[in-house]
Amino acid sequence: MAGLPGVVHHDLWIRRGSQAIAVHVKDGTPAIAINTKMGHVFVLNRLTGAPLLPVEERPVPQSDITGEAKLADATLFDHLLVPEKFEPSDAWGPSPADVQWCQDKIKASRSEGIFTPPSLQGTVVVPEKRRRRELGSGAYDPKSHLMIVNTNRLVAWVKLIPRIS
């Protein structure tokens, strides 16, 4: 099998793939499914490495930190295990005041999706960088053609602190 192409070209968050799961797609094509820590699932032909689901390079948000290398794009597609954005309307809490606090924090922060880099302003990190899906990969049921994956939908907030010169 040919190798998985580079998915993230300048990885600030250490988002790699996990063990491949051997599957057969419904037409019988031998395939592998690779879950990434980002919550993506790449399904590739097991013999050629060709993607069996659409894959494309998309532009990603740029860093506003002087001297930070720029990430121009990343390999993405529309088959996701977890949401890749978190809007103020997604905030929740035990009281209306808690919800409002969260919404204000999100509005004041960078929140442009999965590849939003850390910032001095504060960045909403979704999916939260530690673990979007559990590291044990997943399981595949060949009878139902279902892949079972345990996911995590946490949101984090990070802020860079300038170095005192």
Side-chain angles (χ1 to χ4, degrees):
M1 206 234 49
L4 176 66
V7 182
V8 179
H9 307 299
H10 174 61
D11 191 357
L12 296 171
W13 298 116
I14 310 174
R15 294 176 169 163
R16 301 180 191 106
S18 68
Q19 306 90 332
I21 303 169
V23 301
H24 283 84
V25 292
K26 288 186 177 185
D27 70 2
T29 302
I32 59 169
I34 301 171
N35 299 313
T36 72
K37 290 182 179 181
M38 299 173 289
H40 293 137
V41 179
F42 290 89
V43 181
L44 308 174
N45 181 305
R46 198 176 332 151
L47 304 176
T48 67
L52 296 175
L53 296 174
V55 175
E56 64 179 298
E57 297 281 320
R58 294 185 195 160
V60 298
Q62 297 298 299
S63 175
D64 55 4
I65 304 301
T66 303
E68 174 60 48
K70 304 295 185 194
L71 168 65
D73 54 30
T75 304
L76 301 170
F77 70 111
D78 293 328
H79 304 284
L80 309 170
L81 298 173
V82 296
E84 290 193 335
K85 260 194 145 173
F86 195 78
E87 305 287 336
S89 61
D90 296 320
W92 59 273
S95 74
D98 292 321
V99 173
Q100 186 62 54
W101 184 90
C102 290
Q103 289 173 335
D104 292 345
K105 188 74 144 179
I106 295 164
K107 287 176 189 174
S109 303
R110 289 192 69 178
S111 183
E112 302 156 54
I114 186 171
F115 290 108
T116 306
S119 67
L120 297 172
Q121 171 184 351
T123 299
V124 175
V125 180
V126 62
E128 186 269 337
K129 76 177 202 68
R130 288 180 298 153
R131 199 175 285 149
R132 271 66 51 201
R133 52 109 200 119
E134 296 300 319
L135 297 177
S137 191
Y140 174 70
D141 176 14
K143 289 183 182 177
S144 63
H145 294 285
L146 289 176
M147 182 176 66
I148 313 303
V149 180
N150 189 23
T151 63
N152 179 341
R153 294 174 181 237
L154 293 176
V155 176
W157 186 82
V158 298
K159 182 175 181 174
L160 297 178
I161 300 169
R163 182 178 300 199
I164 299 172
S165 300

